[in-house]
Amino acid sequence: MQEHLYKILVIGDLGVGKTSIIKRYVHHNFSPNYRATIGVDFALKVLNLDQETVRLQLWDIAGQERFGNMTRVYYREAMGAFIVFDVTRPASFEAVTKWKEDLDSKVTLANGNHVATVLLANKCDQGRDVLTNNGIKMEQFCQENGFVGWFETSAKENINIDEAANCLVKHIITSE
Ligand code: GDP
Ligand code: MG
């Protein structure tokens, strides 16, 4: 049986739900009270997937660091990333391509490829206005911007978070 340890980044604008997604995924709970992450937090998730043990080291990055020199340090040696936006806030979706460009410009895998990245449309328990109003074709958006997939998620209602993580891990394993 093989063992893997992967550094996974969780990035996106302030307040989109990065910390909440990690809390739900790792600690199985949710808090409606907002507390901004200061600096960087880590959480470890161990999962078994297709006979393999995978350890995910999840890096929770504070939104304030956006596109500064600090992100280069955080991104170092990452194997995968989630870029998160809030389906109720169009500006957080507009920032997605900026986060992706920031990531791709600062980190590449040993084989020269970009880091596998999954897009999370979070707070889907609040509706999906941002997705429908703008007529965004998410499949096409993902292809054009180099995302390996996307999921509508809710940290509050525990929707699609495991599925999104499994998708990301499978991409990382098969591209190694
Ligand atoms: P971060 O700044 O990206 O880490 O965002 P947080 O995880 O701190 O979440 C910001 C706010 O959004 C908090 O008040 C959370 O309770 C709330 N929140 C996060 N995820 C969800 C979700 O899936 N649904 C709803 N309704 N609220 C959420
Ligand atoms: Mg946070």
Side-chain angles (χ1 to χ4, degrees):
M1 195 160 92
Q2 269 189 287
E3 282 213 3
H4 308 271
L5 172 66
Y6 299 134
K7 172 177 173 178
I8 306 293
L9 307 168
V10 184
I11 55 181
D13 275 6
L14 192 64
V16 295
K18 301 181 296 297
T19 302
S20 300
I21 287 168
I22 294 171
K23 265 177 84 177
R24 169 61 73 191
Y25 185 52
V26 177
H27 306 294
H28 312 290
N29 60 26
F30 175 80
S31 157
N33 300 319
Y34 184 71
R35 183 178 62 87
T37 308
I38 311 291
V40 66
D41 256 338
F42 307 92
L44 189 71
K45 170 85 176 181
V46 181
L47 70 157
N48 293 306
L49 200 71
D50 303 336
Q51 321 283 337
E52 317 214 27
T53 299
V54 180
R55 287 169 208 279
L56 300 182
Q57 190 186 59
L58 296 154
W59 285 50
D60 182 8
I61 288 164
Q64 301 93 314
E65 260 79 27
R66 57 183 298 170
F67 324 131
N69 283 323
M70 286 305 289
T71 53
R72 188 181 299 277
V73 179
Y74 291 144
Y75 293 169
R76 191 175 292 154
E77 291 178 5
M79 292 294 289
F82 293 109
I83 295 182
V84 186
F85 71 97
D86 174 346
V87 291
T88 70
R89 277 169 42 216
S92 73
F93 178 72
E94 281 153 28
V96 162
T97 48
K98 301 198 189 91
W99 280 106
K100 185 69 165 70
E101 281 163 20
D102 189 57
L103 179 67
D104 288 345
S105 70
K106 289 177 182 165
V107 63
T108 45
L109 302 175
N111 64 13
N113 288 345
H114 290 318
V115 166
T117 308
V118 168
L119 180 61
L120 303 184
N122 192 44
K123 308 196 188 181
C124 73
D125 58 283
Q126 304 269 71
R128 57 199 312 279
D129 284 3
V130 169
L131 298 175
T132 46
N133 288 357
N134 300 336
I136 301 159
K137 303 264 187 301
M138 292 301 282
E139 301 294 339
Q140 191 184 336
F141 180 85
C142 285
Q143 273 185 4
E144 286 172 1
N145 293 281
F147 290 94
V148 300
W150 77 285
F151 292 83
E152 287 182 72
T153 59
S154 169
K156 186 178 180 202
E157 306 291 344
N158 192 21
I159 299 169
N160 270 344
I161 294 172
D162 291 279
E163 288 80 357
N166 288 349
C167 168
L168 182 61
V169 169
K170 280 180 184 169
H171 270 273
I172 295 171
I173 290 177
T174 53
S175 64
E176 263 195 312

